[in-house]
Amino acid sequence: MKGRESGMPEEAYWESFFDAARVLEALVGSQPMVGDVVEFGCGYGTFTLAQAAHTTGTVTTLDIDPLMVARTRERAVSQRLENVVVSERDFIAHGTGLPDGSQELALVFNLLHIEDPLALLAEAHRVLHVGARLAVIHWRSDIPTPRGPSLDIRPTPEQCAAWMAQAGFGDIRNVDVTSGSPFHFGLVARRRGTDES
Ligand SMILES: C[S@@+](CC[C@H](N)C(=O)[O-])C[C@H]1O[C@@H](n2cnc3c(N)ncnc32)[C@H](O)[C@@H]1O
């Protein structure tokens, strides 16, 4: 089932809000990502394509919406990004299907307002190896924004950080992503090992 209020507006309008490369650079740096990346919800591929251009491994991106899947696939092909795997999948109902500890980075962008954010973060935790990174962005609620879910379900950075800690992430940091979108906040964290407190 599609997460609540997770439909997309028209592509050009959505992409007018972001400089995707800058958002990603702020979160994970400008060095190429060595290893595999999973993205929860590709949408139009806004961040998929920018991440794939800086990843040596595979970027697996999952979305329940066949139109989003088709568009992201089409864009990856036209940009000759051969390391993008786009799957139509309900990751809320069925998880990612990726092996435990297989990923170097998980992207959860504009999604943590869904009904059960903890279950989604638990799946991100499962597929990341110990020490691997989780990156989150979401719409700010401290300023007016042109899009974003209703304020009553829109999580704050503090709420996201609390969920991330609960799901087993540590080293949680706020990241200023305003160079890539003035309307968003960002967080990064690392997957803790089972023996770390
Ligand atoms: C608000 S959009 C964000 C897309 C992308 N992360 C971005 O920031 O550009 C959320 C995406 O998650 C997808 N989605 C919602 N519920 C889902 C589910 N249960 N399984 C897979 N994808 C889902 C929607 O189809 C939509 O493309």
Side-chain angles (χ1 to χ4, degrees):
M1 194 186 66
K2 198 175 250 197
R4 62 185 175 183
E5 296 191 35
S6 61
M8 293 288 270
E10 192 266 320
E11 180 176 332
Y13 181 57
W14 179 257
E15 298 218 327
S16 72
F17 303 130
F18 304 101
D19 181 327
R22 283 199 168 163
V23 169
L24 290 166
E25 185 176 346
L27 290 164
V28 294
S30 53
Q31 296 299 315
M33 174 67 49
V34 178
D36 293 338
V37 177
V38 59
E39 179 188 35
F40 290 77
C42 58
Y44 295 111
T46 309
F47 296 97
T48 321
L49 305 172
Q51 184 59 55
H54 280 92
T55 300
T56 63
T58 299
V59 176
T60 301
T61 191
L62 312 159
D63 206 292
I64 198 171
D65 186 330
L67 294 176
M68 297 295 142
V69 168
R71 180 63 181 139
T72 300
R73 237 178 233 150
E74 177 187 59
R75 294 178 84 187
V77 168
S78 75
Q79 294 187 23
R80 295 191 165 77
L81 291 165
E82 291 173 4
N83 60 337
V84 179
V85 173
V86 193
S87 290
E88 186 180 326
R89 187 175 176 97
D90 181 343
F91 50 65
I92 293 176
H94 305 299
T96 59
L98 294 168
D100 292 356
S102 58
Q103 305 295 302
E104 190 64 42
L105 173 68
L107 305 179
V108 177
F109 287 2
N110 299 304
L111 204 57
L112 281 183
H113 59 282
I114 58 171
E115 290 83 349
D116 191 352
L118 269 175
L120 188 136
L121 291 173
E123 176 63 1
H125 185 269
R126 184 187 69 75
V127 301
L128 290 171
H129 69 73
V130 173
R133 282 180 289 180
L134 164 71
V136 167
I137 67 166
H138 216 313
W139 293 93
R140 292 169 60 177
S141 42
D142 59 327
I143 55 166
T145 59
R147 276 290 294 189
S150 313
L151 287 175
D152 58 331
I153 61 165
R154 200 184 291 199
T156 61
E158 294 74 24
Q159 178 65 79
C160 292
W163 286 330
M164 288 156 79
Q166 216 178 320
F169 291 93
D171 194 12
I172 301 167
R173 289 188 297 115
N174 289 296
V175 178
D176 182 355
V177 295
T178 52
S179 65
S181 167
F183 306 116
H184 284 75
F185 65 85
L187 293 162
V188 286
R190 288 193 183 272
R191 186 202 153 144
R192 286 198 308 247
T194 42
D195 55 346
E196 295 173 68
S197 53

